[in-house]
Amino acid sequence: MDLVPTPDGSPSPATLTANGPAGAAAPATSAAAEGPAAPRGGPSARPPAAALKAVDKDTTAGVLLGIGAYGLWGLMPLYFFLLQPAGAVEIVANRVIWSMLFCTLLITITRSWRVLGAAFRNRTVIVPLILAAVLIAVNWLTYVYGVTTGQAVEASLGYFINPLVSVLLGVFVLKEKLRRLQWAAVAIGFIAVGVLTASYGKLPWIALTLALSFGLYGFVKKRVGPRADAITSITVETIVLAPLAAATMIFLAVSGAATLGTNGAAHFWLLAASGIITAVPLLFFGASARRLPMTTIGLLQYFAPVLQFIVALAVFKETMTPDRWIGFGVVWLALLVLTVDMLLTARKNSATRKRARAAA
């Protein structure tokens, strides 16, 4: 199982196969159904050089969009730092409300209200998305708390660990069988958690909460993915969370703890921008996932936690003791093993497809 972490909350692209979402049946076709094949070199045939150029251009666009998405997620700690003195609860409440407003604007522009209404009426869609909303709220709150309390390094660790959590979900929930290198990566991951627990003097609960909440979120979104697109999903999730977020904002305002309207226009608009800042990398990511194979997205996924880690050390000046470096090194070793397994499997599958095409 290769769920790819997407800090925005969108469905994992690793659930996509050559035929579409994993678990979805490939369209059954036959020679009769497809009709007569177009003659080679006929008017509808595309010249090979032009076809290759189009594929290369599409791949380049996909990589750039993917880097843009993961780059924005990786730099997100800088944005949360700018929102001080707002606390984690206020930031998340604002993020929910402004994201909902921005997403409903997108729904209006794309004329997708009927699709959104259908999602609310479909029990197989709305129930998983309510659970997803709870999980992403926990994830956002924990992450913002970690960044705003000087624990951005541990927060980045959560997204490094996330692929290992996804593998474990495949074993315990989907009853999947792991390959040897996957088992090795999981074992190394457990050793890393032990080393980091000793170095922190406590269980790294921020990292583990982020990894578990996002791993479960990705799993839930994988199950509902074929029935709800990214914008519909995030719109439903923010609408579900909006009443609690609005109540929180009202409570903070009444108690005098809110900063939205008391710290000047710049602070207000920075908080209001959370809707766009949430949605833009989501759109980039969706466009990238449609253009790139799973393996490429799987490699790009590490871009975000690496950037978060660099920001924590270079900008926030968080300290890294030698034993923490050892713990992170063990985590990176586990991810290296997982990546090697992913690349080897992709190469093996590619060779199998080539042999099948040659035999046909």
Side-chain angles (χ1 to χ4, degrees):
M1 180 175 181
D2 296 304
L3 292 179
V4 176
T6 56
D8 69 297
S10 67
S12 164
T15 65
L16 303 179
T17 66
N19 293 322
T29 58
S30 64
E34 292 173 352
R40 292 184 181 180
S44 62
R46 171 182 267 183
L52 288 173
K53 186 176 180 180
V55 170
D56 289 343
K57 188 175 181 180
D58 215 34
T59 300
T60 300
V63 170
L64 292 176
L65 287 164
I67 291 174
Y70 282 110
L72 288 171
W73 288 325
L75 296 175
M76 198 73 77
L78 294 174
Y79 169 66
F80 294 138
F81 183 77
L82 290 174
L83 295 180
Q84 292 181 339
V89 173
E90 184 181 9
I91 291 173
V92 171
N94 273 274
R95 189 176 185 184
V96 168
I97 296 298
W98 295 108
S99 294
M100 181 194 68
L101 293 175
F102 186 75
C103 287
T104 52
L105 176 61
L106 289 179
I107 292 288
T108 301
I109 293 172
T110 58
R111 300 180 180 179
S112 301
W113 282 104
R114 186 173 297 177
V115 176
L116 183 64
F120 274 98
R121 291 190 298 271
N122 189 338
R123 184 178 177 84
T124 63
V125 173
I126 190 61
V127 173
L129 288 183
I130 290 174
L131 176 58
V134 174
L135 289 168
I136 199 61
V138 171
N139 184 270
W140 283 356
L141 189 59
T142 304
Y143 183 73
V144 175
Y145 171 80
V147 170
T148 56
T149 56
Q151 301 174 84
V153 166
E154 188 179 339
S156 73
L157 175 64
Y159 291 110
F160 280 124
I161 296 175
N162 181 254
L164 300 174
V165 172
S166 296
V167 169
L168 288 175
L169 284 172
V171 174
F172 293 110
V173 180
L174 299 179
K175 308 300 180 184
E176 295 181 351
K177 292 182 179 179
L178 297 187
R179 297 180 289 273
R180 290 181 181 179
L181 285 178
Q182 288 179 315
W183 275 120
V186 170
I188 295 170
F190 275 109
I191 293 171
V193 171
V195 172
L196 288 165
T197 298
S199 69
Y200 278 100
K202 60 180 178 65
L203 200 67
W205 69 269
I206 290 177
L208 293 177
T209 300
L210 287 172
L212 288 170
S213 61
F214 202 73
L216 288 168
Y217 177 80
F219 172 76
V220 172
K221 293 295 285 281
K222 174 186 176 181
R223 310 299 287 185
V224 77
R227 299 186 296 275
D229 60 81
I231 292 298
T232 300
S233 293
I234 198 69
T235 304
V236 171
E237 291 161 30
T238 52
I239 288 175
V240 167
L241 294 172
L244 180 60
T248 299
M249 291 175 67
I250 292 170
F251 173 79
L252 291 173
V254 170
S255 62
T259 65
L260 178 65
T262 59
N263 277 57
H267 183 74
F268 174 88
W269 288 114
L270 276 172
L271 275 171
S274 60
I276 297 174
I277 290 171
T278 297
V280 167
L282 168 66
L283 296 174
F284 282 1
F285 178 80
S288 174
R290 287 193 296 272
R291 291 171 168 83
L292 297 177
M294 181 189 74
T295 308
T296 306
I297 291 288
L299 294 174
L300 286 175
Q301 69 173 306
Y302 300 126
F303 199 58
V306 165
L307 272 180
Q308 293 166 2
F309 183 74
I310 292 172
V311 167
L313 295 185
V315 180
F316 299 158
K317 306 297 182 183
E318 293 188 18
T319 58
M320 280 287 287
T321 58
D323 49 354
R324 290 184 187 178
W325 276 113
I326 293 172
F328 269 78
V330 178
V331 170
W332 295 331
L333 176 61
L335 293 178
L336 177 62
V337 172
L338 208 58
T339 302
V340 169
D341 173 79
M342 179 176 60
L343 292 173
L344 289 175
T345 302
R347 180 180 294 180
K348 182 179 178 181
N349 291 340
S350 177
T352 301
R353 287 193 296 269
K354 287 179 180 178
R355 287 195 297 269
R357 284 196 295 267

